């Protein structure tokens, strides 16, 4: 037993030497692995920097394209409204032409054609008056007549009173008086009273439909249409009012339908009832809805359209674009497969070998 102890002592240095050699052999491989990892990290850093540069350049180019498209859209709208205003002036629709030109100057104050056309309208409506050689006393203003209570005693006097109401542009009182007159005297000067009633309905309807009483204005125009054909100006206003009311009906309820109506109205009459502002709000809310559902691609399209009309939504566009680029398509359902339902089980004879 004493002889075995020296043998164990002589084996220990050999075992230690073997472990040292193994450790020295592992060091070069670990160094090579560290070098490869470092090289891989450098390559990844370069690729990431290149990707970020490409994304930034693409975003910058996209912003420039958006600005160009926005300017092009506004220029096309201004040109269209000036052309329509010129047509309105030739047809003596001075009020409608003025509204178009005011919208143009609100977006481009230095538009020379619009300013010249406005000056032409003012000259047409207010021709220069040649001063009289002698001064004349100013006429005493005629007081506005009040509606005749009860039955009408003299139809001729009542017609004169109604004409005075119309001259004073008291359209509501004139309409009420004409309706009462026709009820009591349905055959007396019927053509004249129909003409007066038509003009009163038409003029008052256009005032209402272009203001904040859109529905009542449409009702007045409908009444005027029963007495005669509506001029093109009234037909245009009624169409714009229908688009406006259809958009307002879904405003805050269904932004897609609201945007559909306001988009058409903004293209046809951007000055009417703040159509373009309502379109922008509808498009932004549509984009927000899709962004909330993380449907980034449709959200980006609505944000971009809102930007074309002048909305400041660059941050929303950037977020939606990044989400749309990183989105992965959802695998579709497997088709063209045979259903396992409805198959008949094998009978005992068929299943037997």
């Amino acid at each position: 037993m004493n002889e075995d102890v020296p043998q164990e002592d002589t084996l220990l240095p050999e075992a230690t030497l073997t472990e040292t050699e193994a450790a020295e052999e592992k060091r070069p491989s670990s160094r090579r692995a560290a070098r490869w990892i470092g090289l891989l990290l450098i390559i990844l850093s370069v690729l990431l920097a290149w990707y970020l540069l490409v994304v930034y350049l693409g975003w910058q180019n996209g912003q420039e394209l958006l600005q160009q498209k926005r300017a092009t859209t506004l220029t096309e709208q201004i040109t269209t409204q000036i052309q329509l205003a010129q047509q309105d002036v030739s047809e003596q629709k001075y009020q409608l032409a003025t509204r178009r030109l005011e919208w143009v100057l609100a977006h481009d104050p230095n538009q020379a054609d619009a300013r010249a056309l406005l000056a032409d309208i003012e000259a047409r409506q207010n021709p220069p008056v040649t001063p009289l050689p002698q001064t004349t006393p100013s006429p005493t203003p005629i007081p506005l007549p009040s509606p005749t209570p009860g039955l009408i005693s003299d139809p001729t006097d009542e017609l004169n009173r109604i004409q005075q109401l119309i001259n004073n542009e008291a359209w509501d009182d004139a309409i009420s008086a004409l309706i009462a007159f026709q009820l009591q005297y349905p055959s007396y000067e019927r053509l004249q009273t129909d003409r007066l009633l038509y003009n009163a309905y038409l003029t008052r309807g256009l005032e209402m439909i272009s203001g904040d009483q859109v529905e009542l204005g449409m009702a007045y125009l409908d009444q005027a249409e029963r007495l005669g054909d509506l001029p093109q100006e009234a037909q245009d206003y009624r169409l714009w009012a229908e688009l406006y009311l259809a958009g307002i009906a879904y405003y805050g309820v269904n932004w897609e339908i609201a945007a559909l109506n306001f988009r058409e109205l903004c293209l046809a009459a951007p000055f009417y009832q703040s159509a373009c502002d309502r379109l922008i709000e509808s498009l932004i809310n549509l984009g927000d809805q899709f962004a909330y559902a993380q449907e980034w691609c449709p959200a980006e399209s609505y944000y971009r359209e809102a930007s074309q009309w002048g909305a400041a939504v660059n941050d929303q566009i950037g977020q939606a674009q990044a989400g749309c680029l990183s989105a992965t398509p959802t695998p579709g359902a497997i088709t063209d497969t045979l259903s396992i339902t409805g198959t008949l089980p094998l009978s005992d004879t068929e299943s037997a070998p």
Side-chain angles (χ1 to χ4, degrees), residues 343-353:
T343 56
L344 296 175
L346 295 176
S347 62
D348 294 339
T349 56
E350 291 175 340
S351 60

Side-chain angles (χ1 to χ4, degrees), residues 100-295:
R100 294 186 190 276
L101 296 173
E102 288 176 349
W103 180 87
V104 170
L105 292 176
H107 291 80
D108 187 4
N110 299 321
Q111 227 295 328
D113 294 337
R115 290 187 174 276
L117 201 54
L118 268 180
D120 183 30
I121 293 173
E122 186 176 358
R124 288 170 181 258
Q125 290 182 320
N126 302 307
V129 179
T130 305
L132 297 175
Q134 59 182 4
T135 59
T136 57
S138 58
T140 304
I142 301 174
L144 189 66
S146 59
T148 302
L151 296 176
I152 300 171
S153 58
D154 189 346
T156 303
D157 291 343
E158 179 64 9
L159 276 181
N160 291 332
R161 190 188 70 85
I162 292 174
Q163 186 63 55
Q164 187 178 345
L165 288 171
I166 292 175
N167 294 338
N168 286 276
E169 297 183 356
W171 305 113
D172 291 333
D173 291 338
I175 290 171
S176 300
L178 283 167
I179 293 174
F181 185 91
Q182 288 187 344
L183 287 175
Q184 295 186 39
Y185 297 95
S187 302
Y188 186 85
E189 297 291 346
R190 186 70 183 199
L191 291 177
Q192 181 183 359
T193 56
D194 282 346
R195 179 179 57 81
L196 294 175
L197 190 57
Y198 170 83
N199 291 332
Y201 273 134
L202 178 62
T203 305
R204 184 61 176 138
L206 287 174
E207 289 179 355
M208 290 180 173
I209 206 170
S210 59
D212 55 357
Q213 295 178 294
V214 178
E215 294 181 354
L216 187 56
M218 291 181 65
Y220 273 47
L221 292 182
D222 291 340
Q223 293 295 328
E225 192 175 27
R226 294 180 181 180
L227 300 170
D229 296 333
L230 293 179
Q232 187 61 44
E233 179 183 3
Q235 295 180 26
D236 291 341
Y237 266 105
R238 188 164 62 178
L239 175 61
W240 301 336
E242 290 173 354
L243 291 172
Y244 169 74
L245 292 177
I248 287 295
Y250 290 95
Y251 206 66
V253 179
N254 189 322
W255 291 111
E256 187 172 3
I257 298 179
L260 180 66
N261 289 278
F262 287 126
R263 184 185 292 111
E264 188 172 351
L265 181 58
C266 180
L267 291 172
F271 55 85
Y272 185 71
Q273 303 293 347
S274 303
C276 294
D277 293 338
R278 297 184 186 276
L279 171 61
I280 289 173
E281 186 175 356
S282 300
L283 292 172
I284 292 176
N285 280 281
L286 262 176
D288 291 343
Q289 283 184 356
F290 282 104
Y292 181 78
Q294 296 187 353
E295 299 181 16

Side-chain angles (χ1 to χ4, degrees), residues 13-27:
E14 293 180 358
T16 304
L17 181 61
T18 304
E19 293 177 358
T20 304
E21 291 176 352
E24 290 179 353
E25 290 178 356
K26 290 180 180 179
R27 286 176 185 174

